[in-house]
């Protein structure tokens, strides 16, 4: 009985971040006029399917992180992080992931050192699961 209960709990954790539904692409335009591209990267999949690119721009002294053509599995409690690694031990939260599909951006808080926090993570906070990452270079 204990093995069956443990198997059930493990199954819930494993499949709880699975794709739930398709979403309509979210499109939020970032005006790149007078913006300087600092770095960019393509997303790699980890525990779930993730694709698209992310670009870091500097405009009027403010850094903006632009997600372009993102396609990611849905999941509960998805967050966008900037981290020093693909782990969640030294990260800065950008907030909830705005969408699992489309193009959108975040204004990066000035306290985030984007030279050291150069990994962009899509993270399921509820289950501590890395969906995908991009290493800005």
């Amino acid at each position: 009985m204990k093995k069956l209960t443990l198997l059930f709990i493990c199954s819930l954790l494993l499949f709880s971040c699975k794709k739930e539904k398709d979403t309509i692409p979210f499109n939020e335009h970032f005006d790149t006029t007078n913006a300087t591209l600092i770095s960019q990267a393509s997303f790699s999949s980890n525990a779930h399917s993730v694709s698209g690119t992310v670009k870091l721009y500097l405009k009027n002294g403010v850094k903006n992180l632009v997600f372009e053509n993102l396609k990611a599995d849905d999941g509960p409690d998805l967050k966008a992080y900037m981290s020093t690694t693909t782990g969640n031990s030294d990260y800065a939260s950008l907030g909830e992931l705005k969408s699992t599909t489309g193009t959108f951006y975040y204004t990066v808080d000035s306290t985030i050192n984007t030279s050291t926090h150069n990994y962009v993570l899509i993270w399921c906070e509820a289950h501590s699961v890395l969906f995908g990452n991009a290493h800005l270079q």
Side-chain angles (χ1 to χ4, degrees):
M1 186 63 163
K2 286 183 182 180
K3 287 183 182 180
L4 185 58
T5 303
L6 183 59
L7 180 62
F8 177 73
I9 291 170
C10 289
S11 296
L12 280 177
L13 289 175
L14 181 63
F15 296 109
S16 61
C17 286
K18 285 289 186 187
K19 188 171 182 174
E20 296 172 349
K21 62 182 186 300
D22 291 327
T23 59
I24 297 171
F26 180 71
N27 289 303
E28 178 181 56
H29 179 71
F30 175 76
D31 184 5
T32 58
T33 306
N34 298 322
T36 302
L37 179 63
I38 299 172
S39 57
Q40 61 184 345
S42 295
F43 276 102
S44 297
S45 298
N46 290 93
H48 290 270
S49 178
V50 177
S51 64
T53 58
V54 63
K55 295 180 180 179
L56 182 64
Y57 288 97
L58 179 64
K59 182 174 181 176
N60 300 325
V62 176
K63 291 180 182 176
N64 293 277
L65 194 63
V66 180
F67 289 64
E68 293 182 341
N69 302 312
L70 181 70
K71 290 182 183 171
D73 285 350
D74 273 344
D77 204 20
L78 294 181
K79 306 292 185 195
Y81 292 163
M82 293 192 78
S83 182
T84 57
T85 67
T86 56
N88 69 342
S89 60
D90 187 10
Y91 68 92
S93 178
L94 299 170
E96 290 186 28
L97 188 67
K98 292 182 178 184
S99 179
T100 55
T101 59
T103 298
F104 50 89
Y105 69 96
Y106 294 90
T107 300
V108 178
D109 190 279
S110 63
T111 61
I112 299 173
N113 182 344
T114 56
S115 295
T116 58
H117 288 73
N118 56 356
Y119 284 88
V120 179
L121 311 180
I122 297 176
W123 191 271
C124 174
E125 195 167 287
H127 300 285
S128 263
V129 175
L130 176 62
F131 272 46
N133 76 89
H135 187 195
L136 293 169
Q137 298 186 42

